[in-house]
Amino acid sequence: MSIEPTDETLMLRYRDGDLGAFQELYRRHSGGLYRFVAWRSPRRDWVDEIAQDSWIGLHQARARYQPQASFRTYLYQIARNRLIDLQRQPQALLASELGADRDGAPLFDQLADGAHAASHADARHSNQEQALDARQRQAGLHAAIYTLPVEQKEALVLQQFSGMSLEEIAALVDAPVETVKSRLRYAMRKLREQLSTGLAAQGEQA
């Protein structure tokens, strides 16, 4: 039984000219990176550009790659830096647009890991009510996540949607593990409060 190479091994192979190794890295991480950027970016029209630039940046930096952190941390840091660069440009968003703009939510709805559940239910006429309920819960969750402070939202998305460990998140955001834990605790607490409020409001309307 063959053992699949790690991301870091694949990146070292790619560094040495193995294009097949890059294709496997892209297969493993393109979806997760896109979701991370979609959540993190305050503008929808930046998402494709940042995701593409991240892979280009990885290609350009491949000769300097050293597996000091996980490959995923390395890749996401490139995306994070690209986003910061865009926000620092003179044509950056107005302050009122940052963080509060939820236009990215519908885009992420199409990419989120759980989106297929609603689509599958909607495909069957007998389950239309179930599909509607699933989409409403998903929309409520996304809306609640978008109201979180940036650092809490980032930590939550990295853990829950990108599957990063606490140590990987800490390395990516350059913060102690305990700080990441605190951000996640606060984020989950706020989500529970908002979702509970939303469910109560739905119950009253019913």
Side-chain angles (χ1 to χ4, degrees), residues 5-204:
T6 65
D7 293 337
E8 294 71 33
T9 297
L10 288 171
M11 186 59 196
L12 289 172
R13 292 179 183 175
Y14 176 48
R15 183 189 68 181
D16 296 335
D18 184 349
L19 294 181
F22 171 80
Q23 292 173 345
E24 176 61 17
L25 286 170
Y26 186 85
R27 185 190 68 79
R28 292 182 184 183
H29 295 285
S30 58
L33 176 69
Y34 199 93
R35 287 192 293 272
F36 168 66
V37 174
W39 271 113
R40 194 74 174 76
S41 173
R43 287 179 54 167
R44 280 193 299 177
D45 57 335
W46 284 359
V47 177
D48 284 331
E49 178 181 350
I50 294 171
Q52 292 171 7
D53 285 355
S54 299
W55 291 106
I56 293 172
L58 180 74
H59 172 75
Q60 294 172 339
R62 68 193 186 285
R64 303 188 301 274
Y65 175 76
Q66 294 294 333
Q68 297 174 343
S70 73
F71 169 79
R72 183 164 49 183
T73 299
Y74 184 78
L75 176 63
Y76 282 31
Q77 188 64 62
I78 294 174
R80 217 166 170 261
N81 291 342
R82 179 59 181 140
L83 175 59
I84 291 172
D85 288 343
L86 282 176
Q87 291 175 319
R88 287 175 176 170
Q89 289 178 2
Q91 67 270 29
L93 296 175
L94 296 172
S96 61
E97 293 181 275
L98 290 174
D101 189 353
R102 296 184 185 177
D103 284 346
L107 172 66
F108 184 79
D109 286 348
Q110 300 172 17
L111 301 167
D113 293 340
H116 71 280
S119 299
H120 178 71
D122 195 34
R124 300 177 59 184
H125 179 75
S126 61
N127 288 334
Q128 286 183 350
E129 185 175 343
Q130 177 186 351
L132 176 60
D133 184 57
R135 282 198 297 272
Q136 288 176 336
R137 289 198 306 271
Q138 186 181 3
L141 175 61
H142 291 170
I145 291 175
Y146 266 86
T147 66
L148 294 174
V150 172
E151 292 179 340
Q152 294 177 21
K153 178 172 66 176
E154 181 177 53
L156 184 71
V157 169
L158 288 171
Q159 184 194 54
Q160 297 297 320
F161 294 99
S162 297
M164 279 192 170
S165 67
L166 293 174
E167 291 75 18
E168 287 178 316
I169 298 172
L172 176 61
V173 303
D174 193 22
V177 171
E178 289 302 318
T179 299
V180 173
K181 287 182 180 178
S182 295
R183 291 174 184 174
L184 287 169
R185 281 197 298 269
Y186 285 124
M188 293 304 293
R189 183 183 305 167
K190 290 180 181 179
L191 282 182
R192 282 196 298 268
E193 291 173 354
Q194 292 196 47
L195 291 175
S196 296
T197 301
L199 289 173
Q202 289 180 11
E204 291 176 1

